[in-house]
Amino acid sequence: MPLITLKVQIHTDSRTEAILKDAMLCATKVYNGLLWHLRKEYEETGYVCSCGWKGQ
């Protein structure tokens, strides 16, 4: 699986910095959760499709 690493500098007050860091952490958790569910569905069914189509 590809890995993306970003390095940034934040020039702001500590409150805004905390908000930005929390938002980035939440976005990472959502992305990782989506990948986990898609991988699990694929392992259980052999396909990933929210509409239920099996490719037949």
Side-chain angles (χ1 to χ4, degrees):
M1 178 186 310
L3 177 66
I4 298 173
T5 302
L6 300 175
K7 289 185 141 196
V8 299
Q9 278 188 332
I10 301 172
H11 301 279
T12 187
D13 60 278
S14 60
R15 182 175 181 271
T16 304
E17 181 179 349
I19 292 169
L20 288 171
K21 285 183 178 181
D22 186 54
M24 289 186 289
L25 178 63
C26 290
T28 300
K29 287 182 178 182
V30 169
Y31 178 77
N32 288 340
L34 175 61
L35 288 180
W36 183 84
H37 282 286
L38 291 173
R39 188 178 300 116
K40 181 179 176 190
E41 183 177 344
Y42 181 77
E43 289 172 355
E44 291 174 357
T45 64
Y47 63 94
V48 177
C49 180
S50 60
C51 64
W53 183 68
K54 296 183 181 181
Q56 300 170 341

